[in-house]
Amino acid sequence: MRLEEPDRLRTRLLGRLHRGAGCIGRSPRNRGIDTPESLAAARWGAAEAHRQGLSLRLLHAWVPLSPGPRRDSAESDQHHWAQRILHDAHVELHKRYPVLSIVEDLVADDARSALLRAAAKSRMIVLGSRGLAAASSYFLGNTSMDVVSRAERPVVLVRATLEERAPSPVHEGNCVVVGLSLWDPCDELFEFAFSAADARGVPLRAVHGRGIPVQAHMPWGVDPEVAAEITDKAQKKLRKKLRPWRKKFRGVRVVDVVTVDSPARVVVQDAENAGLLVVGRRRHRGVLAPRLGPVAHAAVHHAACPVAVVPHG
């Protein structure tokens, strides 16, 4: 979807607005919608809201949108184009999902503050991310990273592929992948991943990567007996953690995968054909600055499918 706004205003909007802010919520979902990345996120968010019976809030945040009388013509007025962006996105999504409840929200604030406030009231927040074609990676600016690292609710990152730049159904993939640690408590991660797989009617792949200890390395490679022992122990722990969730979501087929390799590499590679990758982020308290761990960091920068970062702990 393309708007023919004046070049000057379009530059200011892109410069001030976060690329593709968006949220999903039991209370409505939110986002900022003026690029292919944000439209891809809006479409993903609408499909998810429709699938789960939620409402969708389209959030467009920009500091210059302060209250005041309009003195310019509609063609040059900032409020006019901000409202037009929201309205056009609303119209497109309503055509796809006529019964979905969609709310437009124009906020006079910086994107980071508006998104974090919206996330606290929503089931999830959805952000559009620019793909780097050569590396098939996400490009995340400071606002995106700040929201992903600080939001109290899950944040989903959606990359605008060539297919998503033209109106088309949201690609579901053939499974949901969740990257798991065997040491951290992660009920929030399990709840999100199992619910997503259940709503889509697809299998859930529970993936765990284990690094090789130094003593297992031999001159000719990795000691196969040590690798087998590590894999067996990790597989037992993983199945134990999955047991109560298999019982809760009996309709979800679960495939547990343990691979002896870098956890970040294992998770990203396993999600190549997935419709959604779910990874965790520890909540940081006190004076520690919020940050992403190595697996979440690799996922949000390199996974080709949408990535949900779920805070836990």
Side-chain angles (χ1 to χ4, degrees), residues 117-262:
R117 276 201 311 275
K121 302 175 183 178
S122 304
R123 174 73 67 86
M124 70 185 78
I125 183 167
V126 184
L127 306 178
S129 297
R130 179 166 296 177
L132 304 178
S136 187
S137 303
Y138 284 100
F139 174 80
L140 297 183
N142 291 336
T143 299
S144 295
M145 288 300 293
D146 216 22
V147 173
V148 171
S149 301
R150 295 176 183 272
E152 284 299 307
R153 304 285 185 176
V155 178
V156 180
L157 298 165
V158 180
R159 185 162 61 87
T161 64
L162 293 175
E163 291 179 345
E164 287 170 323
R165 288 176 185 267
S168 62
V170 177
H171 176 62
E172 295 294 349
N174 58 19
C175 64
V176 171
V177 172
V178 57
L180 295 169
S181 165
L182 300 182
W183 297 276
D184 295 329
C186 46
D187 285 351
E188 297 98 326
L189 198 60
F190 280 126
E191 184 71 44
F192 189 98
F194 271 88
S195 296
D198 189 40
R200 289 163 173 74
V202 299
L204 174 66
R205 291 180 61 84
V207 179
H208 174 70
R210 287 296 297 269
I212 296 292
V214 175
Q215 61 270 25
H217 289 276
M218 300 295 177
W220 58 86
V222 177
D223 186 328
E225 292 185 2
V226 175
E229 182 181 357
I230 291 173
T231 301
D232 184 60
K233 288 182 178 179
Q235 196 96 49
K236 289 177 180 177
K237 287 184 179 180
L238 178 57
R239 288 174 179 171
K240 184 178 180 180
K241 290 178 77 78
L242 287 168
R243 194 171 298 132
W245 296 96
R246 289 180 193 262
K247 291 180 180 179
K248 182 176 180 179
F249 292 88
R250 294 184 182 276
V252 176
R253 184 168 71 87
V254 181
V255 180
D256 50 87
V257 180
V258 174
T259 303
V260 179
D261 199 349
S262 158

